Structures are given as C-alpha cells and as structure tokens.
Amino acid sequence: MPTATFRNLPRAKQEAIITAAVAEFARSPYDQASLTKIVAQAGIAKGSMYQYFENKRELYLYILNMVYAEKRQYLKGVFEDDSDFFATLKRYYRRSYLFAKEYPLYHRIITHYWDYCAEFEEEIKSSRELKANEFIGMLEAAIRTGQANSGINKDAAFFVYHSVGKELIENFLELSQTDQQQHLQFIDQVLDVLESGLRARKE
Amino acid sequence: MPTATFRNLPRAKQEAIITAAVAEFARSPYDQASLTKIVAQAGIAKGSMYQYFENKRELYLYILNMVYAEKRQYLKGVFEDDSDFFATLKRYYRRSYLFAKEYPLYHRIITHYWDYCAEFEEEIKSSRELKANEFIGMLEAAIRTGQANSGINKDAAFFVYHSVGKELIENFLELSQTDQQQHLQFIDQVLDVLESGLRARKE
DNA sequence: CAGACATGTGACTGGGTGGTCACATAAGGA
DNA sequence: TCCTTATGTGACCACCCAGTCACATGTCTG
C-alpha cells in the first residue's frame, strides 16, 4: 500500500522510516501511536509521509504486514512434520516464544494489534478463522490416528488453544528478564495441562 | 474516593453522574473515554465534576469499584459448595456469563479494564494473584480428594483457566444476539476440554 | 438582613492529534 | 539554458482532550 514514491526512495531513507514506525507502533497501540513522533524520529517532514502512505492506517497496515511476514518466515517448518499432534503444538508455542525474544519490537506490535479490537475487527476475525481451520484440520488428523480424544468439541478445543496461546504471548512481555529455560518449561507445562486435562486419569 | 460534596448530593444527581460515567466507560476504554462527554450527558458543569472527584482516574476507579462490588455480589454463592471441583468451575463461568447478560454495561467496563494494560498494571496484577491463590487452593483440595490430576503444574493450570476465562468473557460481547442456551453449552464444552484434556483417554 | 461559606459554572489554558496545502527545491528532458 | 514535473517541507487547520479558576449562585448562621 505504500506509493511508488516510497518504493523508489533510497534504501536508507526507507529503512529510517520503517525503523521509526516500528519503534512507535511497538511503544504504543495504534490509536496512541503518534505520526508526529514517527516523522520526527525518521527525520522527514510530515507532508512527505503523506506522499509515501495515504494515511496513518495505511502506514500501520504496511508495518503490520511486514512484521507478520517475518513471523510466518520464522515459524515456517514448525508444521512440516505433524505426525505427533502434541509435539507439533509444543514446537509451535516454543518457537513463537523464541520469536518474541528475537524480535521484541515486532512481538509488541503484534500483541498491541490483538489487544486493540475497536479498529481492525474484521482483519482479526478473518485471521482467527484461518487459524481455526488449520488447527481443526490437525486435530481431526490426530483423532483419526488415535492420539486425540474424539469426545471433545473441536471448536471448543480451538477456543482453548487460541486463548491460552494469546495469553502466553502477552505474558512473554512481562517476564522478559528471567531465565529463558524457565519460560520454555512453563510453556511445556501449560501445554501438558491442555493435553492431559485436569481430571485425574485412571490409566 | 469521591469527596464529601459528592456524597451529600441528592440521590438523583448522584445517579445521573454515575449513569453517565458508566455509559461512557462502557463505550470506551479509560483513555478514550471523555470526561467532557460524561459531564455533558450528566447535565453538570465540568468544574463541578472536579469538586466531586479529584480527577478522571478517581472517577474511573470509583465506577470500577462499584461495578466489581455488584459482580462479587452476583457471584456470591458459587463457591459455597465446592465439593465437586469441576462442577464449581462450571457454575462460576456460567454465572459470569449470566452477569454479562444482565449487566452488559458493567461487563463492558470490566473487559475494557482488563484489556487496557498500560495504566492499572499493579491493580490488575494484584487481583490476578488473589484469584490465583483461590484457584490453587481449590485445586489442591480437588487433588486430595482424587478428583484432579496430581501430575500437573498448578500455576500452569491456573494460567490455563485464567486465560480461557478471560477470552470467554471477551467473546460474550460479540455473540450477544444468538441463543443463550447455545452459549452456556459452549462454555460447558470449553470446560470439558480443560477437564478431560485433548489426549485420548484409555479408561 | 448581612455576611460567611459551600457549591456550581463554563470560558479558557496548554497540549496533543491527524491531515492539508501553498510554496520551495530538485530532477530530468528538450 | 529553461521549463515541466516530481518530491520535500513545515506552518497551519480543525478538532479533541483533562484540568483550572475567577466569578456567580445558593445556603446556612448569627
């Protein structure tokens, strides 16, 4: 969505703008982020920004797309071998955690995006539906191979994984100073709860 | 936290102010809510508001306290008979749902409060800890009576219930037009997932 | 009635925002 | 060289906000 003018910019200038925007959108959610601060940080005039992007929203969506492209790239490979359903889920959440560690600004942009429901409602809803279909597909395969419990409601199962994943991501922010190994262990324990259930097993 | 002046106000005027504030804080999260709109809606001057409350934050906390007091009242009784751990949890979430239905504005205020992390961080953290202790106490009792799996990590279990509960509450908003019976059923199914776990049981 | 005190008021301040536009500068072609 | 077109600029606009304060109005007391 950026204009041709933006795409023809020298790389250094493009990157200055992107870096400034990433910093600001990581610092504050969309509505609190300040275009004025972004252009100041990037060292360009406000009018110039409006020659590169139609408005604040378009700039935001551009940055968001970039961030998500990076994350998709980072998570590529997690789903390649999905023979073990529960191992795949653990790989997914562990790798998401490592992404947050490696790209903390990108990670903050994503959490702000999910928090901020008012705008982007449709965008969030449609990407949620996509995730749901992927998950349910995997779950059905796991049921066929006897790994997963066939008695549970699939939508409910997705709902559970989705909400826990969302909250895990949010928590990664707060606990950023402590030990990484401890975090990964906690992720595993949370997923163990979802796998085993709270009711005692008499197996 | 309101001043004596506010407490001495005729009941009708107090209620007009409270009603206006509730409506605005339900409409928008704290930082987007407009004091100007509240005083306009309540039919008082801005200066008057500052004789009743020190500032916007104090007004907000007053409303929030009121809302939570109502919710506590509403949920009273859910934990009275906690002999069946899983039944108690279902009662809790079902009743929370009914609260959201009965007091939709209060419900929105609460979800906005949880969404808005920037301010009120400490408040949220401490109330979360309180909830955690309650939950873990119940869980330990359930483990002693053999209802609950002793192998799982208790903090992880709380984390799971907390995040799922949070997301359930958020979802109640969106789905408000459809059938109530269907919602309650979905809540049960979600809790069944947490109870049974996704892994197949060979019992 | 007069004076003291409590309460009510809304124009105003200072600060922020996203977005615009007349103008300045640079680039490129004839 | 000159003219056209593309790009850069920042003062400015309209709007919103929380909070203040000099003043007006009401109320109670001596």
Side-chain angles (χ1 to χ4, degrees), chain A residues 81-93:
Chain A
D81 169 25
D82 60 352
S83 56
D84 184 338
F85 178 62
F86 296 106
T88 302
L89 286 175
K90 275 191 183 166
R91 273 205 306 278
Y92 174 72
Y93 285 107

Side-chain angles (χ1 to χ4, degrees), chain A residues 31-32 149 195 198-199, chain B residues 31-32 149 194-195 198-199:
Chain A
D31 59 329
Q32 279 173 48
N149 188 342
E195 182 179 335
L198 247 59
R199 179 153 49 80
Chain B
D31 59 329
Q32 281 174 46
N149 187 344
L194 300 185
E195 185 179 334
L198 246 60
R199 180 154 46 82

Side-chain angles (χ1 to χ4, degrees), chain B residues 8-24:
Chain B
N8 293 333
L9 242 41
R11 202 158 292 254
K13 197 167 182 182
Q14 269 188 42
E15 267 166 21
I17 292 168
I18 290 175
T19 304
V22 163
E24 180 64 10

